[in-house]
Amino acid sequence: MSSVKQKVLIVDDEPDIRELIEYNLKKEGYQVFTAGNGQEGVSEAKKVKPDLIILDIMMPKMDGIEACRLLRTMGDFKNTFMVFLTARSEEYSEIAGFNVGADDYIAKPIKPRALVSRINAILRRNNQADEVVENKLEILDLVIDRETYLVYRGSDKIVLAKKEFELLYLLASKPGKVFTREVILKNIWEDSVVVTNRTIDVHIRKLREKLGDSYVSTVKGVGYKFEA
């Protein structure tokens, strides 16, 4: 981990959950901040500018979905990692989270060692990203800029959620190559996060909504590819 302590904000209305996560993350050397509901979480995020935010979904005053949606509209948090924490197992909760820009999804009950490993992996992957990939792709009429996590089409700037950007970058890095769902999951979500095929479909749909339908095509029963 970097000598500069990375900041994690925990937003959960259950004090024992906050304390459990805070204790384990502080042992890892993180700066940890907490909030008891979505409204407090948004206010605290504005103050401390965390590197990663852990959001419970079911909270009073403002739930995690709405807090994430609101934060993603602010420039300071367009690329901040957002991890949802929830006891709800319904698929629609997971899909709703990814729809508003979540990067990961962790189910309760919390397993401290597994959660810490997940957080370490997410932030380490972000720190190393510029070292292992090119900073910019120019393909067709798109410029995909890894340093800013922005996509440009001519003079138009297209803002994507972090996972949407990473998915587009992966596909565009090898135009014409078909990426299976398994390869996409391994490269974008790794083995540590439980996601479904539906999750990939949601991210593809969001990409098409923002970019248009002509860039990413579906190879039925196999996966997806970027059309060169």
Side-chain angles (χ1 to χ4, degrees), residues 1-15:
M1 188 179 300
S2 169
S3 59
V4 178
K5 290 185 179 181
Q6 292 174 295
K7 301 176 184 178
V8 177
L9 171 62
I10 305 163
V11 187
D12 195 303
D13 62 327
E14 298 181 57

Side-chain angles (χ1 to χ4, degrees), residues 7-27 30-42 44-45 48 50-57 59 64 67 71 81-85 108 110 115-116 119:
K7 301 176 184 178
V8 177
L9 171 62
I10 305 163
V11 187
D12 195 303
D13 62 327
E14 298 181 57
D16 56 337
I17 296 292
R18 294 198 305 270
E19 290 169 9
L20 175 65
I21 299 174
E22 180 179 12
Y23 171 76
N24 283 277
L25 290 180
K26 280 185 173 178
K27 283 205 309 182
Y30 291 105
Q31 292 185 67
V32 181
F33 305 85
T34 64
N37 60 62
Q39 285 184 356
E40 292 178 6
V42 171
E44 189 71 7
V48 304
D51 299 288
L52 183 144
I53 302 174
I54 300 173
L55 287 161
D56 187 31
I57 287 187
M59 292 185 291
L71 287 167
F81 283 103
M82 305 277 186
V83 177
F84 276 112
L85 183 68
K108 295 178 181 178
I110 300 298
L115 181 137
V116 168
I119 300 304

